[in-house]
Amino acid sequence: MDSVNSYNTPVELSSGSFFDEGIKIGDVRVLPMDALIGGLYIVYVGYYIKKFIDSFRDDQTTVTTTVHRMPTLRERVIQRIIYTAQALSASMLFFDWGINKGWFTLECVARTTLKVIAHSTSVLFWGYKCIESIYHLIELPKLIEKSSKYHVYEKADLEPEIVAEWITLFSNFAFVLASGLQVLSVITGVVIAAGSIEFLVMSSMALMVARIVFDILFGSHEKVVAARLMFEDKPPGYTQLR
């Protein structure tokens, strides 16, 4: 292509292997793996935006066969704050990752501020999720024994959730390490290999996908939630059949 319309962004397909050299859009060359990670970041942002929107769409009239806990107003407000914070944090993480790839440009001070805020928020959130997973791993064996004792569920119905929680824990911890290394790099000035951080991010995302597949195959998560509600002494919300 000798000329490009001034209103269009030139796109250049590499003469070599697409998987080796990718595609050039304007002045930016996008490798397939970069496009995959960038797409996952965008999905991550969209997921929390959807969660925020869905928090206003609670259906209190549907009745089916499992126990469902209705969150209190206070819990819903907290959830919406968390979803909003995560969507903003994920957006900043995507933008910071895009800067590292040369997709976007930003002044040094603004870039440093963006990096510190985005990754500090990420460390706090995913660190909290790690603690939550550890608590679940401690609690699950007791819950499984109690459910089996009172014939609520068989052990085989709930035990896959232990594996799922381990997957979640490693996924969250990989994110904590990746963001922690980024913050440490800014504070200490020590250069950390971008490949190492990218490996951690990719590993975390792969584990997230594995968790989703695991839930689809075994469906233990819904049963564990129902079992928890059945044995709660003083649930903070109320329950209904759903």
Side-chain angles (χ1 to χ4, degrees):
M1 182 181 295
D2 296 329
S3 63
V4 178
N5 189 302
S6 59
Y7 295 101
N8 295 327
T9 302
V11 177
E12 175 190 329
L13 291 173
S14 172
S15 58
S17 170
F18 170 73
F19 292 98
D20 293 333
E21 301 184 22
I23 182 174
K24 190 172 183 181
I25 304 175
D27 295 329
V28 176
R29 184 169 296 281
V30 181
L31 298 175
M33 190 56 67
D34 295 340
L36 174 62
I37 296 175
L40 289 172
Y41 267 119
I42 293 171
V43 169
Y44 177 49
V45 175
Y47 171 78
Y48 279 99
I49 292 175
K50 180 181 181 299
K51 293 283 282 185
F52 175 80
I53 295 172
D54 287 346
S55 69
F56 292 93
R57 296 178 178 174
D58 293 317
D59 183 2
Q60 301 183 17
T61 62
T62 305
V63 178
T64 55
T65 57
T66 61
V67 178
H68 173 62
R69 178 177 177 276
M70 299 300 296
T72 63
L73 176 60
R74 176 176 173 274
E75 288 174 326
R76 294 184 193 193
V77 171
I78 292 173
Q79 285 176 352
R80 288 163 191 164
I81 292 172
I82 291 173
Y83 298 150
T84 303
Q86 273 305 100
L88 291 173
S89 175
S91 299
M92 288 190 290
L93 288 171
F94 170 69
F95 196 63
D96 178 60
W97 179 78
I99 290 172
N100 292 335
K101 290 295 177 181
W103 293 7
F104 315 111
T105 57
L106 204 65
E107 292 182 1
C108 183
V109 174
R111 179 181 178 182
T112 301
T113 302
L114 174 75
K115 184 182 287 290
V116 170
I117 293 174
H119 290 287
S120 296
T121 306
S122 182
V123 168
L124 290 174
F125 178 80
W126 295 112
Y128 166 77
K129 298 298 286 185
C130 283
I131 294 172
E132 188 176 63
S133 291
I134 292 171
Y135 170 77
H136 288 162
L137 286 169
I138 294 172
E139 172 228 17
L140 274 171
K142 299 175 185 176
L143 182 65
I144 292 171
E145 286 296 330
K146 189 178 289 187
S147 297
S148 177
K149 178 181 177 181
Y150 291 100
H151 305 288
V152 175
Y153 288 108
E154 296 295 330
K155 288 185 178 181
D157 294 327
L158 303 183
E159 285 177 339
E161 189 66 10
I162 295 177
V163 178
E165 280 296 343
W166 277 110
I167 294 173
T168 300
L169 176 59
F170 287 129
S171 175
N172 295 340
F173 188 63
F175 254 130
V176 170
L177 282 179
S179 291
L181 288 173
Q182 294 271 38
V183 174
L184 183 66
S185 176
V186 173
I187 294 175
T188 63
V190 176
V191 177
I192 297 173
S196 300
I197 294 173
E198 191 166 296
F199 171 77
L200 288 170
V201 172
M202 289 177 60
S203 299
S204 179
M205 290 181 172
L207 287 168
M208 284 183 179
V209 173
R211 168 68 196 245
I212 294 171
V213 173
F214 199 87
D215 283 341
I216 293 172
L217 291 176
F218 294 96
S220 59
H221 181 70
E222 294 291 334
K223 296 172 184 176
V224 167
V225 171
R228 285 194 182 110
L229 291 172
M230 289 177 185
F231 295 114
E232 275 187 343
D233 295 327
K234 295 179 180 180
Y238 66 89
T239 61
Q240 66 172 5
L241 291 178
R242 181 180 179 186

